[in-house]
């Protein structure tokens, strides 16, 4: 094919790359190259590119030319080190490690000590002067190679190891003498021969090739695929492979290994933070055989190495301008850097570190803003268990839906509903949930399952509800029949016992753990001064960090942030959270409670006179509602959506009523009243109410309804104005599909407004706009915009109609398998489906502004509070997002981040 | 404003225009100009343009410059005639007639005899030597002016006229002597003064200006608006106004008036056809005072005028190359042409005349194809009442939904359902229908109402169901309580009596009128030879005409025509109708009847083993289904859609079952079985099943279901192949919203197909494609096309999701008010909404072919059989349309017409 002659290299030595090449070299490889470039002590080696992996995965064949390139790089390595791979006297040993673009911890494969065979093991023993070390290294190679390359169950090797320890009468691996290790090597070789049909390859080149191939193939294991789906990592990236000269932390007393962070990734406190384990290899730390020491132990044992490490860590942080984590090994007193990367951190640490770095002059405030996320801010806003409170950890599962919940254990949905009806707080415990459990999930304070991860039914539904959930706590044995839950340690929890679950950490605690509100919420609600009272130093610094970055986000963002609120108190709360108005006031929420009867009357009346009487009764109530809200949002826009849901939502459930009537009739009771209502319910019954008589349709078909609402709004505004207020009502017509609907509804609204305003002489004017929530509205937005003062995207409904599924019906029934099959990476109701629904939004904005250039556009669907979606809305040029009061700070932060990351500058936002 | 200096003229004399100027001059004005241009004897006059009308309607003000232009044209007219408007001795009289672009018969206004006043009436008497004629003309002017210009009730004038006849002791107007007419003129002037507050204007210029203004304003009367909505005429066209010198058919014995057609517009028979009424004006013919004579009467009375008329009619037909209708007047022996236009005709006449004109060399066959429509062909395919059978016409209403229906009268929906359950055919009679009547409408053979027109609830729903309906038969008195129906003539029809209704003509007959099947259907079903046996000459010629034009349409059309069919017999029938394959086979229709229980089992099973057992039982049944269809469509493509509807459609109704369980429990009966089913029904219950678990979602979530269907298809095809057949199955995946769904379903289908085909060794291959029926599928069609061999547009569902309303729910509840408000001109389920849904289709075709250039595209929604929609599908480049068997000929015809009208040439069609 002659491909090799034109394409780029498939292998790069560490001194050929740098950290900008992570796409090609993976994260680990790029950072190893960067450290080499900085002159840090990195064991030499080379990286096989992700391109080579992709070629292998696509064709299933070993890439042309790769063997030659690898051989050349191995040769260079041998020259640099002065040892030869497989040499009988002084062998070069190498490690083979995967390293993808994005970190996939625990997902991918590693093989150490490649280069050992029956001959070179003797050379290593000779050379190191430590026979036990050499044979221990050999048996490790055999086991890793067997598991990783040849796909042999790890327990095969572990059982033999256990047998050997028993035979030798020792408790730990390191106590095994050389003789036992030699026997183990033979036994391991037999396992390999038995399972793979072949002898363990004595040729080091063959070992290397097979190991690289195994790393390539590990990209497509089920667990790797699952992880990528959960983390939204693309399937087609492939992994790079790093081949590096081995250094040993387990060869003699002056060796050891450790991990370190340049700052505390938990709290964000400045100063290095890490562990050191003398006489050990990295995998021993993971195995937890011995407890690690604090990093200062290295200072005690080897002050020069410690000093060098400190210098390197400072250098790395200055260089990366961020918290770094590192892995290192000390071999016979010499420090070697094995890995570095920008380190993960908790939400609180992220805010603190970002502002610390600004103060230290390493980054500017724009960059600091990009170092924190709305998701982290949201985490800081959940209530949490009081730190330091005594509680017994029962188990840890997947942190499926954040928050802290405490309640009495129930094992069935029915019990949850029953208890909730009595006002009890319960935790619903199920092995796994299914759609039958929905009612119980709604009733419970939290959900705990022993099976399934972040994409299980329980997790998906709980997140959708904003309900705390811990899923897949696999160590718990749940016995639904006996109604008990047993922890690995044998603790038995019975129905009614108290349990506390932390959906943010995945932890499950016995008993009632005290919950405290978030200090950050207090900051938003009460202001800096009050929030700082009586909190500890860490919290003080955190609040200051959040305050600084929020203020910066507000300065930078182009988009306004409004809230969805239906009552005065909600509006006031949102305003304290920073909302710049109301983007969606759902007037139908004002028809609940005792007014429901009036609405039922409205539907059941048969003449326009009776209907007008009901509307006249509703008018003063609505007026008071609007006065409250306009007062709470005085001076800010309040977008009021006229009534939207289908009328039958205000009527009794059809099936329940039919049963009631049938049973009463069977008993010979008088059923005439109920029968009359049942007839009305049957008449108004819709097979698909979501696709029925609602929104503007209802307004056009039921004379007087919209007019009453518009009148109430206009009267409320005039009243506020009279009392010195600055009311800024905006009227929004829902569910418009055709410009003619808007024309008619608008004409009626204008007529009523003019009447009221002329009568009151208050000289007000209200914009009239429409929800864009139907595909047809987006497609004909150019026409609609000619009659709309603003567009507000109802992305919930738009998602429903664009995909053709209703949130109520499908989240529970098929989202879970759809996640499992990779059809969804994230629920399109949670984060905007940019390819589909997003294309609709973009089209509508473009078409709308084509005929109405200064058309004001916002979004009031729940996506308005979702970080990824906010960036999209900013890109397509919306003027504001609107979200629930609690999400307002998140939206402010993300709107600011979006401005900064897209490089656009701040401008007006209404 | 200086507008007049730059714009075009607002007035054209008849010799300045021609028939190409109908947009500006209206239909009547353009044709008057055309006749003038041809040198025919047209009374001179001029046309005020539609542009002038539009300007008047938009601004509400008299167009600048119009007065001057009119004055100039009146002056020219006076010069040409040699008389002066308002002249006391020999006055010029003119008519003022509306004339819009599209004919709106009876909708618009006319004022005759303008120019008469108290002085000129004497001059006219003198000049004509007929005092009675002059005063009769004046009283006509006063009445018309009063009604049309001054908006006075016509009955005011009619009552006075009746009084005058009573006083004079005469029966008809023409018997009234001059003296009585003079008195009447005075009385009419008093009516005008009393109602308008002003005297009748004596100034002829003022009369003319006011009349023109009244015609302009008549564009916006309610009845004109309603008519335009019904006929889909745009609202913003405006009307032209024709001002023409009066000629009189009522002045002396050698005068008269008539209407004529160049061929028989009812049958299509060649030869002129018309009526002549001596000594009369046009309005007398309409008033039906005397019976008109056949046209030959003119030949008897005035052979030269008759000969001239015959020559003119021949000339007009040659010139217009089509059937023309004309109005003419003979004034004192001289023939005057007052109007001509291409004449309306019945469906049968349209086909016959089109082919006659080809034979006469006037047009070519392409043009003939454009002279007939699919709607006309559809009319010829309905069964009809046997011509010439004796029956009593009770009433005539609006022809709301075509066909012929006979049945026993019922007055309630319940009675209709009850009777239908006993196998009786009924006609549901209601004053008007509402959603409560739906069940009765479904059960009835036909629907008759006394209120509402083509857009009433009854009409909309009936057309949607394809059910015969006559609406708004206002002369019928319906008494729902007494259960009687009384005709104007006093005939009383009671419940149970037989009634026959003709939905094509709007006629209602007493008793049972024999119904005969359509000869044209017989032609399609049995072929030319059999259809021609024993039919009359007219029918013979009609069948030949249809045959010629159908064959020509087939030659010319670019698009293929397939059918939607689910059974072998349906498929065979459609094939006889000309279907070139099946575009949509709904497999769920194969799960009804006795198999329903198996599907219920499928849903209720709890283990995969049980489920597999049910699927195994269904497999052979499905295989036989497919064998039948593939045999009927041997050699032609058969697109099989995998199961689509929500599972719960196969379960009992939830409310009914809940009532049943509750009542049985109340009675102490064992309900455990029913309770189990109820639990399952509750579990599967969806709030919006249209937006729920269906289509590919179901296929991906219920293991084995799609695989069973694909296996049955593959096995059926292999079996057909083995037996010498040519099976061409295509597999269609429904409700795809994301390419990943299609990828997964396709992979499974390919696996199963390969298994079956390899095992059978039959070497077949089936294309796999998808329905495009969700907005998201259209938006991401480029991605989807990479995994689809074909697209089939499911425009029913696409209409539902694009508009966000479900057909079941909204047609009955708000379509009727939506028509009345002008939001819809036609139901988007009947004719494709080109602006919205059409934009989706266009986008999907373009995007799909961008990544898959030879992507085969068709449509299988019901729009595939709708004429207007077919032209759109042709324009966007679909390869075929698919429709119900009965619509196949309509689709073939319209596909041919579309090719011809768009000027594209015939090419391949699969």
């Amino acid at each position: 094919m002659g491909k090799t002659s034109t394409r780029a290299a498939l292998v790069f030595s560490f001194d050929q790359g740098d950290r900008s090449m992570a796409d090609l070299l993976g994260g680990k490889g790029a950072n190893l190259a960067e450290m080499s470039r900085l002159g840090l002590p990195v064991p030499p080696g080379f990286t096989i590119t992700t391109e080579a992996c992709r070629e292998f995965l696509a064709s299933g064949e070993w890439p042309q030319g790769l063997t030659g390139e690898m051989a050349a790089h191995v040769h260079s390595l041998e020259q640099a080190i002065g040892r030869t791979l497989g040499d009988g006297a002084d062998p070069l040993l190498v490690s083979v490690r995967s390293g993808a673009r994005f970190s996939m911890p625990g997902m991918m494969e590693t093989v150490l000590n490649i280069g050992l065979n029956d001959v070179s093991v003797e050379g290593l023993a000779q050379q190191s002067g430590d026979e036990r070390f050499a044979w221990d290294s050999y048996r490790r190679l055999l086991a890793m190679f067997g598991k990783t390359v040849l796909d042999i169950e790890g327990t095969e090797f572990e059982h033999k190891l256990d047998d050997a320890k028993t035979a030798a009468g020792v408790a730990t691996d390191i106590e095994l003498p050389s003789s036992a290790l030699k026997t183990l090597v033979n036994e391991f070789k037999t396992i390999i021969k038995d399972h793979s049909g072949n002898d363990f390859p004595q040729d080091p080149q063959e070992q290397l090739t097979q190991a690289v191939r195994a790393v390539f193939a590990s990209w497509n294991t089920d667990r790797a695929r699952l992880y990528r789906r959960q983390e939204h990592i693309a399937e087609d990236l492939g992994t790079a492979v790093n081949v590096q000269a081995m250094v040993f932390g387990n060869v003699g007393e002056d060796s050891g290994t450790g991990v370190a962070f340049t700052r505390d990734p938990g709290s964000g406190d400045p100063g290095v933070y890490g562990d050191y384990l003398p006489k050990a290899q990295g995998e021993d730390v993971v195995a937890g055989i011995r407890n690690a020491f604090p990093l200062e132990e290295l200072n005690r044992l080897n002050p020069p190495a410690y000093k060098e490490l400190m210098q390197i860590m400072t250098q790395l942080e200055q260089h990366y301008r961020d918290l770094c984590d590192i892995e290192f090994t000390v071999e016979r007193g010499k420090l070697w850097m094995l890995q570095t990367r920008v380190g993960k951190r908790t939400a609180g640490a992220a805010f603190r570190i970002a502002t610390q770095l600004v103060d230290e002059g390493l980054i500017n405030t724009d960059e600091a803003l990009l170092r924190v996320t709305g998701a982290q801010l949201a985490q800081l806003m959940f209530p949490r268990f009081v730190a330091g409170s005594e509680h017994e950890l029962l188990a840890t599962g997947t942190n499926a839906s954040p928050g802290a919940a405490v309640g009495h254990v129930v094992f069935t949905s029915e019990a949850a509903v029953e208890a909730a009806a009595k006002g009890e707080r319960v935790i619903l415990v199920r092995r796994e949930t299914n759609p039958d459990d929905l009612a119980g999930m709604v009733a419970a304070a939290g959900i705990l399952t022993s099976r399934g991860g972040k994409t299980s039914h329980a997790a998906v539904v709980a997140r959708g509800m904003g309900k705390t959930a811990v899923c897949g706590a696999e160590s718990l044995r749940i016995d639904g029949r006996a109604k008990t839950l047993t922890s690995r340690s044998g603790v038995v929890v019975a129905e009614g016992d108290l349990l506390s679950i932390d959906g943010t950490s995945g932890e499950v605690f016995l008993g009632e753990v005290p919950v405290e509100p978030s200090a950050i919420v207090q900051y938003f609600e009460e202001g800096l001064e009050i929030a700082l009272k009586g909190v500890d130093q860490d919290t003080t610094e955190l609040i200051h960090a959040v305050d600084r970055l929020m203020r910066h986000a507000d300065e930078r963002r182009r988009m306004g942030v409004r809230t969805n609120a239906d009552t005065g108190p909600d509006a006031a709360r949102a305003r304290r959270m920073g909302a710049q108005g109301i983007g969606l006031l759902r007037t139908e929420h004002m028809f609940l409670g005792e007014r429901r009867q009036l609405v039922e009357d409205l539907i059941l009346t048969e003449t326009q006179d009776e209907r007008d009487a009901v509307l006249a009764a509703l008018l003063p109530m609505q007026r008071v509602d609007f006065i409250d809200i306009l007062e709470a949002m005085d001076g800010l826009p309040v977008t009021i959506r006229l009534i939207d849901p289908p009328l039958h939502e205000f009527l009794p459930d059809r099936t329940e009523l039919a049963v009631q009537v049938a049973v009463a009739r069977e008993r010979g009771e008088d059923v005439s009243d109920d029968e009359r209502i049942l007839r009305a319910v049957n008449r108004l019954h819709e097979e698909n109410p979501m696709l029925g008589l609602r929104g503007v349709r209802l307004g056009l078909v039921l004379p007087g309804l919209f007019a009453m609402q518009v009148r109430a709004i206009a009267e409320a505004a005039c009243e506020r104005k009279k009392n010195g207020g600055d009311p800024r009502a905006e009227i929004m017509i829902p569910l418009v599909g055709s410009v003619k609907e808007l024309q008619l509804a608008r004409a009626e609204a204008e007529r009523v407004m003019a009447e009221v305003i002329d009568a009151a002489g208050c000289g007000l004017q209200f914009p009239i706009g429409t929800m864009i929530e139907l595909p047809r509205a987006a497609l004909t937005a150019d026409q609609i915009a000619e009659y709309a003062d603003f567009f507000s995207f109802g992305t919930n409904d738009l998602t429903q109609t664009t995909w053709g599924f209703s949130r109520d019906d499908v989240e529970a029934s098929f989202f879970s398998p759809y996640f499992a099959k990779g059809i969804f990476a994230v629920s399109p109701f949670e984060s905007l489906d940019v390819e589909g629904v997003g294309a609709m939004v973009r089209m509508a904005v473009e078409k709308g502004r084509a005929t109405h250039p200064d058309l004001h556009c916002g979004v009031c669907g729940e996506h308005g509070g979702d970080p990824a979606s906010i960036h999209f809305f900013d890109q397509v040029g919306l003027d504001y997002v609107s979200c629930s009061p609690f999400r307002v700070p998140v939206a402010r932060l993300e709107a600011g981040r979006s401005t900064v990351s897209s490089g656009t500058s701040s401008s007006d936002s209404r």
Side-chain angles (χ1 to χ4, degrees), chain A residues 715-752:
Chain A
E715 290 178 354
C718 287
E719 167 99 15
R720 284 286 309 143
K721 178 98 184 283
K722 202 178 70 187
N723 295 331
D726 179 10
R728 303 203 180 169
E730 306 187 338
I731 290 174
M732 181 152 71
I733 314 289
L735 215 73
V736 163
S738 154
V739 66
K740 291 181 187 150
E741 294 171 315
L742 181 59
Q743 277 176 272
L744 292 170
R746 184 183 180 104
E748 184 184 30
E750 283 181 337
R751 184 182 53 71
V752 173

Side-chain angles (χ1 to χ4, degrees), chain A residues 489-822:
Chain A
S489 62
V491 176
V492 178
V493 177
E495 189 158 56
D497 290 353
L498 277 166
L499 214 59
S500 302
I501 63 173
D502 187 334
T504 312
S505 69
E507 289 166 315
V508 180
F509 302 106
L510 191 62
E512 178 171 10
V513 180
V515 172
E516 64 180 2
S518 152
I520 297 304
V521 169
Q522 198 174 25
Y523 153 73
F524 284 122
E525 289 234 56
E526 323 262 341
L528 190 59
E529 214 169 311
I530 293 177
L532 288 174
K533 272 186 195 150
V535 298
D536 61 21
Q537 187 56 28
D538 276 6
T539 308
T540 301
E541 288 181 16
L542 174 60
I543 292 172
H544 277 296
V546 169
D547 178 56
R548 275 174 73 177
L549 293 177
M550 288 307 299
R551 280 188 287 113
H552 191 67
D554 284 343
E555 261 167 42
R556 298 292 273 131
R557 66 189 161 89
R558 184 190 62 76
M559 286 197 298
V561 175
R562 298 193 192 175
T563 192
N564 301 345
D566 314 321
T567 65
D570 269 7
R573 183 177 193 216
R575 190 168 191 167
R576 290 193 299 272
M577 296 286 215
Q580 298 161 289
I582 290 182
L584 176 61
L585 186 162
R586 299 176 183 88
T587 53
E588 60 271 18
H589 287 189
M590 298 170 165
F591 289 147
L592 302 178
E594 54 197 18
R595 301 179 190 176
R596 203 185 157 111
Q597 184 59 48
L598 277 172
V599 180
E600 192 178 311
D601 294 346
L602 184 69
I603 300 165
L604 296 179
T605 54
E606 313 227 326
T607 70
Q608 187 61 32
D609 281 353
E610 291 172 290
R611 191 173 296 138
D612 288 344
V614 178
L615 290 171
L618 282 166
L619 176 67
M621 301 179 186
Q622 285 261 281
R623 188 167 49 219
V624 171
D625 297 332
F626 295 134
I627 289 174
D628 283 355
I629 299 246
L630 289 171
E631 188 167 6
M633 278 291 172
D634 195 62
L636 294 175
V638 175
T639 306
I640 301 169
R641 180 176 72 184
L642 303 186
I643 188 166
D644 184 42
L647 281 187
H648 80 219
E649 285 199 6
F650 296 100
L651 294 176
D653 178 81
R654 180 174 174 236
T655 299
E656 274 174 29
L657 189 60
V659 165
Q660 191 178 316
V661 166
V663 169
R665 191 186 290 129
E666 186 67 23
R667 290 177 185 161
E669 296 166 7
D670 176 26
V671 293
S672 54
D673 266 9
D674 280 350
E675 266 189 328
R676 188 179 56 88
I677 299 173
L678 180 59
R679 267 198 307 276
V681 170
N682 281 335
R683 181 160 50 84
L684 291 167
H685 176 71
E686 294 178 314
E687 283 300 317
N688 300 280
M690 196 65 79
L691 301 177
L693 186 60
R694 12 174 326 228
V696 69
R697 299 165 194 162
L698 185 58
L700 292 176
V701 164
L702 200 73
L705 181 59
F706 272 12
M708 179 277 287
Q709 292 199 295
V710 171
R711 180 172 297 277
I713 294 166
E715 290 178 354
C718 287
E719 167 99 15
R720 284 286 309 143
K721 178 98 184 283
K722 202 178 70 187
N723 295 331
D726 179 10
R728 303 203 180 169
E730 306 187 338
I731 290 174
M732 181 152 71
I733 314 289
L735 215 73
V736 163
S738 154
V739 66
K740 291 181 187 150
E741 294 171 315
L742 181 59
Q743 277 176 272
L744 292 170
R746 184 183 180 104
E748 184 184 30
E750 283 181 337
R751 184 182 53 71
V752 173
M753 283 198 313
E755 253 175 61
V756 174
I757 290 166
D758 286 355
C762 70
L764 286 169
Q765 267 205 327
F766 309 122
I768 299 176
T770 182
M771 295 273 276
I772 301 289
E773 51 189 333
L774 295 175
R776 196 178 190 283
L779 290 163
T780 61
D782 45 350
Q783 298 173 18
I784 291 175
E786 299 195 66
Y787 291 85
D789 297 315
F790 59 87
F791 279 179
S792 178
F793 289 92
T795 50
N796 298 349
D797 266 44
L798 196 56
T799 298
Q800 295 194 128
T801 43
T802 300
W803 277 96
F805 47 56
S806 102
R807 178 164 201 171
D808 295 339
D809 294 315
V810 298
E811 277 201 338
S813 76
F814 74 82
F815 269 33
S816 174
Y818 263 40
F819 284 124
K821 289 174 195 293

Side-chain angles (χ1 to χ4, degrees), chain A residues 228-546:
Chain A
R228 286 196 293 272
R229 274 203 296 273
Q230 286 181 359
E231 301 294 320
H232 311 169
I233 297 174
E235 274 299 304
D236 54 1
L237 297 177
T239 182
V241 187
N242 299 292
V243 178
Q244 188 173 25
M246 287 292 302
V247 290
F248 297 95
N250 54 346
V251 51
E253 300 295 333
D254 52 352
S255 301
T257 191
V259 296
F261 296 85
T262 58
R263 322 196 166 219
D264 184 336
S267 66
D269 279 341
V272 298
Y273 176 95
D275 294 322
Y276 182 69
L277 192 57
K279 230 188 140 182
Q281 272 201 312
E283 49 171 351
D284 297 328
V285 183
V286 177
I289 297 168
R290 285 171 292 159
N291 283 333
F293 297 94
L295 208 52
E296 285 67 34
E297 180 71 4
L298 177 60
N299 197 15
R300 201 182 60 78
L301 295 168
N302 186 345
Y306 179 77
K307 199 176 159 203
E308 188 185 359
L309 179 64
M310 291 303 112
Q311 280 166 347
I312 287 173
M313 286 175 75
T314 303
Q315 187 182 356
L316 284 174
E317 207 182 66
Q318 298 274 337
H319 185 69
Y320 281 90
R321 304 186 309 137
D322 204 350
L323 161 74
C324 295
D325 72 21
I326 59 162
E327 291 179 20
F328 65 93
T329 281
V330 178
E331 187 189 59
R332 298 189 194 282
K334 167 151 182 49
L335 176 70
W336 292 101
M337 301 299 295
L338 297 186
Q339 175 168 310
T340 191
R341 63 182 174 194
V342 169
K344 302 203 168 173
R345 66 208 72 179
T346 64
F351 277 85
R352 287 187 59 199
I353 292 171
T355 50
Q356 285 162 17
L357 295 174
V358 174
D359 292 339
E360 292 167 20
L362 285 177
I363 60 177
N364 64 30
T365 319
D366 270 1
E367 288 171 292
L369 201 51
L370 298 180
R371 298 282 174 88
V372 296
T373 67
Q376 287 167 332
L377 181 61
Q379 267 188 34
L380 295 176
M381 292 174 69
F382 281 108
R384 54 181 192 181
F385 291 126
V386 175
S389 49
E390 297 233 332
H391 36 257
E392 184 178 346
L393 182 67
L394 269 192
T396 301
T398 301
N399 50 345
S401 183
V406 179
H408 300 276
V409 168
V410 294
F411 290 91
T412 64
S413 183
E414 290 74 20
V417 171
E418 215 168 284
K422 289 186 221 149
E424 256 179 53
R425 290 178 66 78
V426 298
I427 304 291
L428 176 62
V429 179
R430 305 281 293 162
R431 216 171 296 180
E432 58 204 339
T433 63
N434 66 45
D436 288 344
D437 295 318
L438 269 183
M441 295 174 77
V442 171
I447 296 140
L448 169 63
T449 70
S450 60
R451 287 200 207 149
K454 279 203 173 177
T455 60
S456 64
H457 177 267
V460 171
V461 175
R463 278 201 303 279
M465 294 177 181
K467 186 130 322 193
T468 299
V470 172
C471 293
E474 293 182 359
S475 66
L476 295 177
R477 220 171 56 241
I478 294 168
D479 186 336
R481 198 167 306 186
K483 304 205 167 162
T484 57
L485 152 72
T486 311
S487 77
R488 183 175 285 155
S489 62
V491 176
V492 178
V493 177
E495 189 158 56
D497 290 353
L498 277 166
L499 214 59
S500 302
I501 63 173
D502 187 334
T504 312
S505 69
E507 289 166 315
V508 180
F509 302 106
L510 191 62
E512 178 171 10
V513 180
V515 172
E516 64 180 2
S518 152
I520 297 304
V521 169
Q522 198 174 25
Y523 153 73
F524 284 122
E525 289 234 56
E526 323 262 341
L528 190 59
E529 214 169 311
I530 293 177
L532 288 174
K533 272 186 195 150
V535 298
D536 61 21
Q537 187 56 28
D538 276 6
T539 308
T540 301
E541 288 181 16
L542 174 60
I543 292 172
H544 277 296
V546 169

Side-chain angles (χ1 to χ4, degrees), chain A residues 172-185:
Chain A
T172 65
D173 304 4
I174 51 170
E175 294 169 273
L176 280 176
S178 302
S179 57
L181 291 166
K182 284 183 190 174
T183 311
L184 216 44
V185 160

Side-chain angles (χ1 to χ4, degrees), chain A residues 43-115:
Chain A
F46 55 85
T47 304
I48 302 163
T49 65
T50 54
E51 175 57 36
C53 176
R54 285 194 292 271
E55 192 177 326
F56 173 81
L57 293 173
S59 69
E61 311 216 331
W62 190 250
Q64 271 211 356
L66 179 56
T67 303
E69 285 193 54
M70 278 171 61
H73 279 276
V74 167
H75 184 69
S76 302
L77 193 56
E78 288 170 338
Q79 300 247 295
I81 304 276
R83 290 172 177 157
T84 306
L85 205 59
D87 188 79
D90 187 8
L92 168 67
L93 303 191
V94 296
S95 63
V96 172
R97 285 190 177 93
S98 66
R101 173 71 184 86
F102 299 103
S103 168
M104 294 171 64
M107 286 301 127
M108 312 270 303
E109 306 293 355
T110 295
V111 185
L112 303 178
N113 302 339
I114 280 185

